[in-house]
Amino acid sequence: MRRRSVQMLAGVAGLSFLAACASSPGDPGSNGSGDPGGSGSIEFWSQIYGDPAKWRALVEELADEFEAETGTAVEVELIDFAQARDRWLLVSQGGDAPDAADMFQLTTYAPLGGGKAGPMPITEYKDEYWPDLDERFFSSMMVDGQWQDEFYGIPWRVDVRPMLYRTDLLEEAGFTEPPATWEEIEEYAAALTEGDVTGFSFGGVDVVQGLIPYYWQTGQEYMSEDGTTANLDTPEMRETLTWLRGLVEDGVVPEDFMSPTFDPMAEFRSGRLAILGGASGSDIATLVRDYPELEGKWAVAPPAQGPENRATYSGSGYWGVLQGSENVEASVEWIAFLSRDENMQRISETTGFPSTNRAVMASEFWTDAEWKTTFTEVIENHAHTSQAPSPFWTVIRDEKPGGVLWDMYSEVLESGQPIDDAIAKAQERMQTELDRGAR
């Protein structure tokens, strides 16, 4: 088997330099099935999750078991997340690639190679290897492995953002339940903001990621289904920005919430922040593992109900095959092996990530605490994919000044600029990016 390792290029920072993107996916059968049925070897890349040593040990253990069962060796290469985005950009533009991989942001990377590089659809294998896909997996997560009606692989890890709140602070203010609506967020945040305590902040991971779901909660999307038309200039966006700005102007949100140095989880742990609108699984796992003194002082809840729904930011990495693989069927068999219930259980317990697999989330490991069962409820009922049908979505939602959404939110929430002006500017800029992606 050929060895295909990406050579990193300096200065790759985003998608703005990319050439025009083709939109039609390739045919899995045209890339060769190599040596189907079990012999030879395949190359598999994965990002690193949790303890690097434990993750490598598990992946190599699974690879050994797969080889013993099928006769196909799996050569494993681990990628640091700090390099992952640039690396997959190169792969999707024709850089060297493995046979199979743990990937993410399918709707960004799939269009870039024009059916010749990057992620490869494996629709023709879906019914053979996953005939019970809809029964075994949460449908809200499976969308992250599909693009343009093609099946690219199995989403396996869940990053979903439920509400996180300090039960001790709420009880002191006379509340026995978390806020369940936008209106209750306003009420709770006002009552909880006192002294050095702030009542509410939007999200716990990145600023834009924390703000994005509130527009979804009005029933709207940021772009059309085909990814060609920006959808910011709407009454619902005005409603969203008006509500968000109201919280900021009322002083119930930390003043520096958009600062790159602001750490909402540190504020939460210290008792200076009462409610976080969205927190990641790793945030909560850290609370459990490293802050036992806070046990009984916090809880997790579904996101509050907006005008239309409780949509929350979610994402899922997926196992897929790469264009140019010399052993497509063995790669698909490897993915099917990884996605067995028992193997996904081992993976979830090792990484600490919630799983897309229903049986895993119904296991004792994911039902022995209320916060864990709440994650399942949110995955089942409120998860909204963080992907969007344009390869330039990652540019539009870039987490720094200059990003389309960042600038719109900053102009309204930090600078106090007129909402209509900020929306009009963002609509025009976003449409320009979508037009580039559609060429």
Side-chain angles (χ1 to χ4, degrees):
M1 186 197 74
R2 78 270 179 262
R3 176 72 178 177
R4 304 189 290 166
S5 298
V6 164
Q7 301 300 311
M8 294 301 296
L9 300 180
V12 180
L15 291 171
S16 59
F17 69 98
L18 296 178
C21 308
S23 60
S24 58
D27 175 8
S30 67
N31 293 277
S33 59
D35 185 17
S39 64
S41 63
I42 60 173
E43 188 175 357
F44 176 72
W45 292 357
S46 171
Q47 279 70 236
I48 300 169
Y49 302 95
D51 183 305
K54 291 181 179 179
W55 179 241
R56 176 176 287 280
L58 175 61
V59 176
E60 291 183 345
E61 181 179 314
L62 290 166
D64 289 343
E65 293 172 9
F66 181 73
E67 182 176 10
E69 181 176 311
T70 66
T72 299
V74 180
E75 184 178 353
V76 175
E77 180 173 340
L78 299 186
I79 304 170
D80 190 285
F81 256 111
Q83 300 176 347
R85 183 171 180 264
D86 286 352
R87 199 162 195 187
W88 290 116
L89 281 172
L90 293 174
V91 167
S92 297
Q93 296 174 88
D96 293 336
D99 296 282
D102 155 45
M103 293 178 281
F104 53 92
Q105 293 180 352
L106 172 65
T107 59
T108 292
Y109 299 125
L112 298 181
K116 298 178 181 179
M120 184 180 76
I122 54 173
T123 309
E124 66 180 79
Y125 298 98
K126 180 180 176 183
D127 291 342
E128 177 183 357
Y129 288 95
W130 297 279
D132 52 356
L133 185 74
D134 294 337
E135 290 75 32
R136 291 180 56 214
F137 298 91
F138 294 105
S139 59
S140 61
M141 294 293 105
M142 291 300 101
V143 297
D144 281 6
Q146 300 176 55
W147 181 68
Q148 290 194 340
D149 298 321
E150 295 278 5
F151 175 73
Y152 280 78
I154 293 292
W156 65 274
R157 61 175 172 84
V158 176
D159 183 9
V160 70
R161 313 283 170 79
M163 180 186 293
L164 178 64
Y165 64 100
R166 291 287 300 244
T167 54
D168 54 346
L169 297 180
L170 265 66
E171 288 170 1
E172 290 174 10
F175 300 112
T176 58
E177 300 290 336
T181 64
W182 280 15
E183 292 75 19
E184 288 189 357
I185 286 178
E186 296 174 28
E187 175 191 355
Y188 281 47
L192 290 159
T193 299
E194 184 176 359
D196 63 351
V197 177
T198 307
F200 183 77
S201 195
F202 303 107
V205 179
D206 292 299
V207 173
V208 173
Q209 290 183 24
L211 292 167
I212 279 175
Y214 298 101
Y215 188 43
W216 291 335
Q217 290 172 11
T218 69
Q220 284 288 348
E221 302 292 337
Y222 284 84
M223 65 183 72
S224 59
E225 289 186 9
D226 61 4
T228 63
T229 305
N231 189 46
L232 302 181
D233 193 356
T234 66
E236 290 82 4
M237 180 56 79
R238 289 172 180 81
E239 180 181 19
T240 302
L241 292 177
T242 299
W243 182 74
L244 295 173
R245 185 158 71 180
L247 293 173
V248 174
E249 290 178 341
D250 288 344
V252 300
V253 174
E255 291 183 1
D256 56 346
F257 82 96
M258 289 196 77
S259 167
T261 62
F262 177 66
D263 185 347
M265 285 304 299
E267 296 295 295
F268 182 86
R269 293 190 298 266
S270 69
R272 294 192 298 269
L273 177 62
I275 304 171
L276 197 54
S280 71
S282 60
D283 288 335
I284 295 165
T286 299
L287 280 177
V288 174
R289 182 185 65 243
D290 298 339
Y291 298 90
E293 69 275 14
L294 295 180
E295 183 177 357
K297 297 182 178 181
W298 59 269
V300 175
Q305 173 79 32
E308 289 294 329
N309 58 52
R310 294 175 178 262
T312 188
Y313 192 99
S314 74
S316 183
Y318 75 100
W319 295 311
V321 181
L322 278 299
Q323 299 279 5
S325 171
E326 296 173 359
N327 205 337
V328 173
E329 188 154 335
S331 299
V332 174
E333 289 177 350
W334 165 242
I335 294 168
F337 175 82
L338 290 176
S339 66
R340 291 177 183 173
D341 292 354
E342 62 272 22
N343 290 337
M344 293 191 77
Q345 183 77 44
R346 294 159 66 187
I347 289 167
S348 184
E349 292 187 13
T350 298
T351 63
F353 273 100
S355 179
T356 63
N357 186 301
R358 292 179 181 275
V360 174
M361 296 307 291
S363 69
E364 182 178 357
F365 182 82
W366 281 105
T367 56
D368 64 356
E370 186 176 357
W371 71 265
K372 294 181 179 181
T373 57
T374 300
F375 262 85
T376 302
E377 178 187 351
V378 173
I379 293 168
E380 178 81 75
N381 299 314
H382 310 302
H384 186 299
T385 179
S386 54
Q387 297 194 57
S390 169
F392 287 87
W393 174 235
T394 53
V395 175
I396 292 164
R397 66 166 182 80
D398 200 6
E399 290 286 343
K400 60 181 182 293
V404 174
L405 297 184
W406 176 286
D407 288 352
M408 179 185 70
Y409 288 125
S410 178
E411 288 167 6
V412 172
L413 304 182
E414 288 190 298
S415 303
Q417 295 185 24
I419 288 175
D420 284 349
D421 291 352
I423 290 176
K425 185 189 301 183
Q427 172 77 16
E428 182 177 357
R429 290 182 60 200
M430 182 172 174
Q431 189 60 56
T432 298
E433 298 294 346
L434 295 183
D435 291 344
R436 294 170 62 212
R439 285 199 291 266

